[in-house]
Structures are given as C-alpha cells and as structure tokens.
Amino acid sequence: CGAINNIIKYSIQKNGVYRYECKNCTKTFNDLTGTVFNKTRIPLWKWIYGIILLLESTGSISAAELSRNISISHRSAWLLLRKIRLFLEYYQFDITLKGVIESDEAWFSHKNNQQIVLGIVERQGKVKFFPLPDRKGNAVIYPHLRFVEKQSFICTDSFPGYRGLFPRFIHHSLNKSRGEWKRNHVWTSTIEGVWGMVKGIIRTIHHGIKKKYLTEYLALFTFNYNNRDLPIVDKFSLLLQFLCQP
C-alpha cells in the first residue's frame, strides 16, 4: 500500500526468509515481493550464479547452456532468462539519445513471422530499438521525436520515410543504391555493426527466435551494449538494481 511505518515481523519461512505484516493494510510480504525473485523455486544462489554467467557471456547465453551450468531443468533456465529480459525491457525507456546519431531499419524473421526493427545509436554511445508495424507514415519518425534530443545530427540512408526528421533534427542521408557509403562525417557503419552483432547472437546462440519474444532479446542486448565499458562487478550491481525494483 506504500506505507513505510507500522510494519512488523509476521513469520519466518522454511528457507529462512522473513515475512512481514503491514498494519496499515494487513497484507503480508517478504524481502523478495515485487522483485524478479518473487515466488521463485530456484535457490537464490543459482539466480546469482546464472546472472554472472549471463554477464560474462558474449552477448547472451542459451537456456540449454545455463541449465547445464546451474543444474536446473531447461524450462526453468528459459523462464529464469525470460524474467531477466522482461525486467530489462523497462530499462531502455529511460534513455535519451543525443549528439551524432545513426538510424536504420532491419528485418528479423523466424519462418513466417517477420518483424521490422528501427535501430537508433549514438556514435560511441548508447543504442535503442523499436519494433515497427510498418515503414509508412510516422512509424519511423515518432521514436526520434520521443527519444532523441532536439537538433541532434542524424545520419540515415535515402529511405523517403526519414524526410520528416527535418527541421527538428539536422538530417543527412546517403544514397547507398549509387554506392555512396560515406560523405565527410556522414556514415551509418555504427548501426550496421550493431545489426551484425544482434543477428549474430540470435543466429549462433539462440538459432532464431519467435517474433513475440524479439523485444525481450533486444532489451538484453541493449543493456549489454549500453554498459559495455563497465567492469563485470559494476554491471552486475546495475543489473541487480533493476531486477530488485517492483
């Protein structure tokens, strides 16, 4: 209920975790309520070890590999990883991009489930991904208006949908159909490199993913990419901070 006073110890569970009672609303809770660890049957030390393995991996880890390393079933490992990815989906909405920006779209497919994803990346900075219903109208423009600082320098290809970026942004485009890949400070090799890494992880580690799970996997890549310069200890602390928020 949001109250921070009138809380007393209610009982102690078999695993040693205390339950508390709020005298304001009479509800009980424990230290894990509202976190990613709530009502989990997997021991917390396996959660911690699994998170460390995830952060030390090259971008991601498969459920099969995680299940072998921490001795849990494949389904439990898959659910553990999915809970982490779902919590990280909320993380990227707090990011605002600025400076020199590169934007591009990519197609992701799993059999007949195709999805267009817009990628926006700062040069030597952070990245954000946006699944798009199509490439028409304001679908490509809106993410820039919402998450990119005004008057940023944006580099794209010659797709007509980007024309709406001017005059809010300084927009320059390349005509790649004519072999124009770079012009002075205008290029899109950063975002193309990001697409290569994302698709490489999906292809080699996960062997393809379904459309309905795509945003979760992109959220994990976003976290790893945006914090790539942090030591493992600091990255672990940051990830644990997100996982413990309600």
Side-chain angles (χ1 to χ4, degrees):
C1 66
I4 58 175
N5 297 318
N6 298 324
I7 295 173
I8 62 171
K9 288 182 180 179
Y10 181 77
S11 64
I12 185 169
Q13 300 172 197
K14 292 181 180 180
N15 58 1
V17 177
Y18 277 106
R19 288 198 69 81
Y20 306 92
E21 181 184 14
C22 175
K23 289 296 185 180
N24 191 47
C25 63
T26 69
K27 291 184 178 180
T28 64
F29 59 93
N30 61 28
D31 292 312
L32 305 180
T33 300
T35 72
V36 74
F37 312 109
N38 189 32
K39 296 182 179 179
T40 182
R41 295 184 179 181
I42 302 173
L44 286 181
W45 73 266
K46 290 191 176 185
W47 271 92
I48 300 301
Y49 187 29
I51 292 171
I52 294 171
L53 291 175
L54 176 63
L55 294 177
E56 288 186 334
S57 63
T58 55
S60 187
I61 188 173
S62 67
E65 182 179 355
L66 183 63
S67 67
R68 290 193 300 268
N69 278 281
I70 62 176
S71 300
I72 59 176
S73 69
H74 182 274
R75 177 169 176 76
S76 295
W78 186 85
L79 289 173
L80 185 153
L81 291 172
R82 192 181 181 207
K83 282 186 176 181
I84 293 174
R85 291 192 292 261
L86 284 171
F87 264 68
L88 287 177
E89 273 197 273
Y90 296 97
Y91 162 73
Q92 65 169 334
F93 290 105
D94 296 330
I95 304 171
T96 300
L97 305 177
K98 58 185 178 180
V100 182
I101 306 294
E102 299 179 23
S103 298
D104 191 28
E105 324 95 67
W107 285 88
F108 289 83
S109 62
H110 178 77
K111 297 182 179 179
N112 297 323
N113 297 316
Q114 290 191 330
Q115 176 67 58
I116 312 171
V117 177
L118 173 68
I120 307 177
V121 63
E122 297 172 336
R123 284 188 188 162
Q124 300 178 347
K126 298 181 177 181
V127 69
K128 287 179 71 70
F129 299 107
F130 305 91
L132 303 179
D134 52 52
R135 303 171 75 196
K136 301 176 182 178
N138 294 323
V140 175
I141 300 300
Y142 176 73
H144 295 84
L145 300 177
R146 177 68 177 83
F147 294 102
V148 179
E149 194 174 272
K150 188 177 181 181
Q151 293 302 308
S152 294
F153 187 97
I154 300 181
C155 305
T156 69
D157 56 25
S158 57
F159 174 60
Y162 290 114
R163 291 174 183 170
L165 293 173
F166 182 82
R168 182 180 175 88
F169 306 102
I170 304 170
H171 177 221
H172 291 271
S173 61
L174 298 170
N175 194 337
K176 296 183 180 180
S177 62
R178 296 183 179 179
E180 186 181 31
W181 302 100
K182 181 179 179 181
R183 185 180 67 249
N184 298 326
H185 296 290
V186 181
W187 66 82
T188 57
S189 57
T190 307
I191 187 62
E192 289 167 4
V194 168
W195 290 137
M197 287 187 284
V198 174
K199 292 187 175 183
I201 289 170
I202 292 175
R203 182 178 63 254
T204 59
I205 297 177
H206 302 292
H207 307 292
I209 56 177
K210 293 184 179 180
K211 178 180 177 179
K212 63 181 179 179
Y213 301 128
L214 179 60
T215 55
E216 303 168 17
Y217 286 84
L218 292 177
L220 176 59
F221 179 87
T222 299
F223 176 83
N224 284 325
Y225 184 89
N226 291 349
N227 299 289
R228 60 193 180 277
D229 296 327
L230 288 180
I232 290 292
V233 174
D234 294 339
K235 190 186 291 188
F236 174 82
S237 298
L238 181 61
L239 178 56
L240 198 62
Q241 176 186 336
F242 287 114
L243 298 181
C244 289
Q245 290 181 1

Short mmCIF file of all heavy atoms in Angstrom, two decimals, residues 208-234:
data_model
loop_
_atom_site.label_atom_id
_atom_site.label_comp_id
_atom_site.label_asym_id
_atom_site.label_seq_id
_atom_site.Cartn_x
_atom_site.Cartn_y
_atom_site.Cartn_z
N GLY A 208 17.71 -18.55 -33.90
CA GLY A 208 16.44 -17.96 -34.29
C GLY A 208 15.49 -17.84 -33.12
O GLY A 208 15.49 -18.67 -32.22
N ILE A 209 14.69 -16.76 -33.11
CA ILE A 209 13.70 -16.54 -32.04
C ILE A 209 12.37 -16.14 -32.66
O ILE A 209 12.31 -15.62 -33.77
CB ILE A 209 14.17 -15.45 -31.05
CG1 ILE A 209 14.46 -14.15 -31.78
CG2 ILE A 209 15.36 -15.91 -30.26
CD1 ILE A 209 14.86 -13.02 -30.87
N LYS A 210 11.30 -16.37 -31.92
CA LYS A 210 9.98 -16.02 -32.41
C LYS A 210 9.73 -14.51 -32.27
O LYS A 210 10.30 -13.85 -31.41
CB LYS A 210 8.91 -16.80 -31.63
CG LYS A 210 8.94 -18.29 -31.90
CD LYS A 210 7.80 -19.00 -31.17
CE LYS A 210 7.83 -20.49 -31.47
NZ LYS A 210 6.73 -21.22 -30.78
N LYS A 211 8.86 -14.02 -33.12
CA LYS A 211 8.56 -12.60 -33.18
C LYS A 211 8.09 -12.05 -31.84
O LYS A 211 8.49 -10.96 -31.42
CB LYS A 211 7.51 -12.35 -34.26
CG LYS A 211 7.04 -10.92 -34.41
CD LYS A 211 5.99 -10.82 -35.51
CE LYS A 211 5.44 -9.42 -35.64
NZ LYS A 211 4.43 -9.35 -36.73
N LYS A 212 7.27 -12.80 -31.10
CA LYS A 212 6.70 -12.28 -29.85
C LYS A 212 7.73 -12.13 -28.75
O LYS A 212 7.49 -11.45 -27.75
CB LYS A 212 5.56 -13.18 -29.39
CG LYS A 212 5.96 -14.62 -29.06
CD LYS A 212 4.74 -15.42 -28.62
CE LYS A 212 5.10 -16.86 -28.31
NZ LYS A 212 3.91 -17.64 -27.86
N TYR A 213 8.90 -12.79 -28.89
CA TYR A 213 9.96 -12.67 -27.88
C TYR A 213 11.07 -11.71 -28.30
O TYR A 213 12.00 -11.48 -27.53
CB TYR A 213 10.58 -14.04 -27.60
CG TYR A 213 9.61 -15.09 -27.11
CD1 TYR A 213 9.53 -16.33 -27.72
CD2 TYR A 213 8.77 -14.84 -26.02
CE1 TYR A 213 8.64 -17.29 -27.28
CE2 TYR A 213 7.87 -15.80 -25.57
CZ TYR A 213 7.81 -17.02 -26.20
OH TYR A 213 6.93 -17.97 -25.76
N LEU A 214 10.98 -11.15 -29.50
CA LEU A 214 12.10 -10.37 -30.05
C LEU A 214 12.47 -9.18 -29.18
O LEU A 214 13.65 -8.93 -28.93
CB LEU A 214 11.76 -9.91 -31.47
CG LEU A 214 12.81 -9.05 -32.17
CD1 LEU A 214 14.13 -9.81 -32.30
CD2 LEU A 214 12.32 -8.62 -33.55
N THR A 215 11.47 -8.43 -28.69
CA THR A 215 11.77 -7.23 -27.90
C THR A 215 12.51 -7.57 -26.62
O THR A 215 13.33 -6.77 -26.13
CB THR A 215 10.49 -6.47 -27.56
OG1 THR A 215 9.56 -7.35 -26.90
CG2 THR A 215 9.83 -5.91 -28.83
N GLU A 216 12.26 -8.75 -26.06
CA GLU A 216 12.95 -9.16 -24.83
C GLU A 216 14.43 -9.39 -25.10
O GLU A 216 15.30 -8.97 -24.32
CB GLU A 216 12.32 -10.43 -24.28
CG GLU A 216 10.83 -10.31 -23.98
CD GLU A 216 10.19 -11.65 -23.71
OE1 GLU A 216 10.95 -12.62 -23.44
OE2 GLU A 216 8.96 -11.75 -23.79
N TYR A 217 14.75 -10.06 -26.19
CA TYR A 217 16.14 -10.32 -26.53
C TYR A 217 16.87 -9.02 -26.89
O TYR A 217 18.04 -8.84 -26.56
CB TYR A 217 16.22 -11.31 -27.70
CG TYR A 217 15.90 -12.73 -27.30
CD1 TYR A 217 14.59 -13.19 -27.25
CD2 TYR A 217 16.91 -13.63 -26.97
CE1 TYR A 217 14.28 -14.48 -26.88
CE2 TYR A 217 16.61 -14.94 -26.59
CZ TYR A 217 15.30 -15.35 -26.55
OH TYR A 217 15.01 -16.65 -26.17
N LEU A 218 16.15 -8.11 -27.56
CA LEU A 218 16.75 -6.81 -27.88
C LEU A 218 17.01 -6.00 -26.61
O LEU A 218 17.97 -5.24 -26.55
CB LEU A 218 15.82 -6.03 -28.82
CG LEU A 218 15.67 -6.60 -30.23
CD1 LEU A 218 14.66 -5.78 -31.02
CD2 LEU A 218 17.01 -6.64 -30.96
N ALA A 219 16.15 -6.16 -25.59
CA ALA A 219 16.35 -5.45 -24.32
C ALA A 219 17.63 -5.90 -23.64
O ALA A 219 18.38 -5.09 -23.08
CB ALA A 219 15.15 -5.67 -23.41
N LEU A 220 17.90 -7.20 -23.68
CA LEU A 220 19.13 -7.72 -23.08
C LEU A 220 20.36 -7.22 -23.84
O LEU A 220 21.35 -6.80 -23.24
CB LEU A 220 19.12 -9.25 -23.06
CG LEU A 220 20.39 -9.93 -22.55
CD1 LEU A 220 20.70 -9.50 -21.12
CD2 LEU A 220 20.25 -11.45 -22.63
N PHE A 221 20.28 -7.23 -25.18
CA PHE A 221 21.40 -6.71 -25.98
C PHE A 221 21.61 -5.23 -25.69
O PHE A 221 22.76 -4.77 -25.58
CB PHE A 221 21.14 -6.92 -27.47
CG PHE A 221 22.25 -6.39 -28.34
CD1 PHE A 221 23.34 -7.19 -28.65
CD2 PHE A 221 22.20 -5.10 -28.83
CE1 PHE A 221 24.37 -6.70 -29.43
CE2 PHE A 221 23.23 -4.60 -29.63
CZ PHE A 221 24.31 -5.40 -29.93
N THR A 222 20.51 -4.47 -25.56
CA THR A 222 20.60 -3.04 -25.26
C THR A 222 21.35 -2.81 -23.95
O THR A 222 22.23 -1.94 -23.86
CB THR A 222 19.19 -2.41 -25.17
OG1 THR A 222 18.53 -2.56 -26.42
CG2 THR A 222 19.27 -0.94 -24.82
N PHE A 223 21.00 -3.58 -22.93
CA PHE A 223 21.68 -3.43 -21.62
C PHE A 223 23.17 -3.72 -21.75
O PHE A 223 24.01 -2.95 -21.25
CB PHE A 223 21.05 -4.36 -20.60
CG PHE A 223 21.74 -4.35 -19.26
CD1 PHE A 223 21.44 -3.37 -18.33
CD2 PHE A 223 22.69 -5.31 -18.94
CE1 PHE A 223 22.09 -3.34 -17.10
CE2 PHE A 223 23.34 -5.29 -17.72
CZ PHE A 223 23.04 -4.30 -16.80
N ASN A 224 23.52 -4.82 -22.42
CA ASN A 224 24.93 -5.19 -22.56
C ASN A 224 25.70 -4.17 -23.39
O ASN A 224 26.83 -3.81 -23.06
CB ASN A 224 25.05 -6.58 -23.19
CG ASN A 224 24.74 -7.69 -22.20
OD1 ASN A 224 25.03 -7.58 -21.02
ND2 ASN A 224 24.12 -8.75 -22.68
N TYR A 225 25.10 -3.69 -24.47
CA TYR A 225 25.78 -2.74 -25.35
C TYR A 225 25.96 -1.39 -24.66
O TYR A 225 27.04 -0.80 -24.71
CB TYR A 225 24.98 -2.57 -26.64
CG TYR A 225 25.66 -1.67 -27.66
CD1 TYR A 225 26.56 -2.21 -28.58
CD2 TYR A 225 25.42 -0.30 -27.70
CE1 TYR A 225 27.18 -1.40 -29.52
CE2 TYR A 225 26.04 0.52 -28.63
CZ TYR A 225 26.92 -0.03 -29.54
OH TYR A 225 27.56 0.77 -30.46
N ASN A 226 24.92 -0.91 -23.99
CA ASN A 226 24.99 0.42 -23.37
C ASN A 226 25.90 0.45 -22.15
O ASN A 226 26.32 1.53 -21.72
CB ASN A 226 23.59 0.87 -22.97
CG ASN A 226 22.72 1.16 -24.18
OD1 ASN A 226 23.20 1.22 -25.31
ND2 ASN A 226 21.43 1.35 -23.96
N ASN A 227 26.21 -0.72 -21.58
CA ASN A 227 27.10 -0.79 -20.42
C ASN A 227 28.35 -1.60 -20.72
O ASN A 227 28.95 -2.19 -19.82
CB ASN A 227 26.34 -1.40 -19.23
CG ASN A 227 25.14 -0.58 -18.82
OD1 ASN A 227 25.26 0.51 -18.27
ND2 ASN A 227 23.95 -1.10 -19.12
N ARG A 228 28.75 -1.61 -21.98
CA ARG A 228 29.89 -2.44 -22.42
C ARG A 228 31.21 -2.03 -21.81
O ARG A 228 32.14 -2.83 -21.74
CB ARG A 228 29.99 -2.41 -23.95
CG ARG A 228 30.20 -1.01 -24.54
CD ARG A 228 29.98 -1.01 -26.05
NE ARG A 228 30.17 0.30 -26.65
CZ ARG A 228 29.25 1.25 -26.68
NH1 ARG A 228 28.07 1.04 -26.11
NH2 ARG A 228 29.49 2.40 -27.26
N ASP A 229 31.34 -0.79 -21.36
CA ASP A 229 32.60 -0.31 -20.79
C ASP A 229 32.68 -0.53 -19.28
O ASP A 229 33.72 -0.27 -18.67
CB ASP A 229 32.80 1.17 -21.09
CG ASP A 229 32.95 1.43 -22.59
OD1 ASP A 229 33.51 0.56 -23.29
OD2 ASP A 229 32.50 2.50 -23.07
N LEU A 230 31.60 -0.99 -18.66
CA LEU A 230 31.60 -1.20 -17.21
C LEU A 230 32.29 -2.52 -16.86
O LEU A 230 32.14 -3.51 -17.57
CB LEU A 230 30.16 -1.24 -16.67
CG LEU A 230 29.38 0.07 -16.61
CD1 LEU A 230 27.99 -0.20 -16.06
CD2 LEU A 230 30.10 1.10 -15.75
N PRO A 231 33.03 -2.56 -15.76
CA PRO A 231 33.53 -3.86 -15.26
C PRO A 231 32.38 -4.77 -14.89
O PRO A 231 31.27 -4.31 -14.62
CB PRO A 231 34.36 -3.46 -14.02
CG PRO A 231 34.60 -2.00 -14.15
CD PRO A 231 33.45 -1.43 -14.93
N ILE A 232 32.63 -6.07 -14.87
CA ILE A 232 31.60 -7.05 -14.57
C ILE A 232 30.93 -6.77 -13.22
O ILE A 232 29.71 -6.88 -13.07
CB ILE A 232 32.18 -8.48 -14.59
CG1 ILE A 232 32.53 -8.89 -16.02
CG2 ILE A 232 31.19 -9.47 -13.99
CD1 ILE A 232 31.33 -9.07 -16.92
N VAL A 233 31.73 -6.37 -12.23
CA VAL A 233 31.18 -6.11 -10.89
C VAL A 233 30.16 -4.98 -10.93
O VAL A 233 29.07 -5.08 -10.36
CB VAL A 233 32.31 -5.78 -9.89
CG1 VAL A 233 31.73 -5.38 -8.54
CG2 VAL A 233 33.23 -6.98 -9.71
N ASP A 234 30.50 -3.88 -11.62
CA ASP A 234 29.58 -2.75 -11.71
C ASP A 234 28.36 -3.09 -12.55
O ASP A 234 27.24 -2.67 -12.24
CB ASP A 234 30.30 -1.54 -12.31
CG ASP A 234 31.41 -1.02 -11.41
OD1 ASP A 234 31.36 -1.32 -10.21
OD2 ASP A 234 32.32 -0.33 -11.90
#
